[in-house]
Amino acid sequence: MSAWIIVAKVATALNVALLLGLGYIWGRNYLTFRSKHTLGLLVFALFLVLENGLVLYYYLIDPALSAWWHDESLVPMIVWQTQMAINVAQTVGLSFLLWITLD
């Protein structure tokens, strides 16, 4: 398994963890302030958790697709490099969003 595959999987798992943290904070803020802005952020986090959770499921659990993702001969390396770049970019963006949320 190449480093691209491992980085993509780790970034996706980190995205789920970051989004759960952000969702918790935004949910707590929504219960306190009842503003549409915090509700919008909470819904945003929920949909991104679903998206990243589904991707993680495909990477690790799905009987057909996880085998496909683990065989480097079936997936061209440019696909893994692109997937890794997308997942890492999202991890960086979510980390920054968590940082400014906690500040």
Side-chain angles (χ1 to χ4, degrees), residues 73-91:
S73 65
L74 296 176
V75 180
M77 194 49 63
I78 188 68
V79 172
W80 274 113
Q81 292 168 344
T82 304
Q83 193 70 32
M84 186 275 312
I86 292 168
N87 292 336
V88 169
Q90 190 176 40
T91 302

Side-chain angles (χ1 to χ4, degrees), residues 1 14 18 21 24 28 33 35 40 45 50 52 77 92 94:
M1 184 179 308
L14 279 173
L18 290 168
Y24 172 76
R28 190 184 61 200
F33 301 112
S35 75
L50 288 174
N52 280 281
M77 194 49 63
V92 172
L94 291 171

Side-chain angles (χ1 to χ4, degrees), residues 22-81:
L22 285 167
Y24 172 76
I25 294 168
W26 291 334
R28 190 184 61 200
N29 288 347
Y30 176 70
L31 292 175
T32 302
F33 301 112
R34 299 284 182 189
S35 75
K36 287 183 183 176
H37 181 75
T38 54
L39 179 61
L41 291 171
L42 179 61
V43 171
F44 169 78
L46 291 175
F47 277 104
L48 278 182
V49 165
L50 288 174
E51 186 262 337
N52 280 281
L54 186 61
V55 169
L56 204 55
Y57 170 78
Y58 287 145
Y59 284 165
L60 302 175
I61 299 171
D62 186 78
L65 290 178
S66 67
W68 186 66
W69 286 111
H70 284 88
D71 189 349
E72 293 180 34
S73 65
L74 296 176
V75 180
M77 194 49 63
I78 188 68
V79 172
W80 274 113
Q81 292 168 344

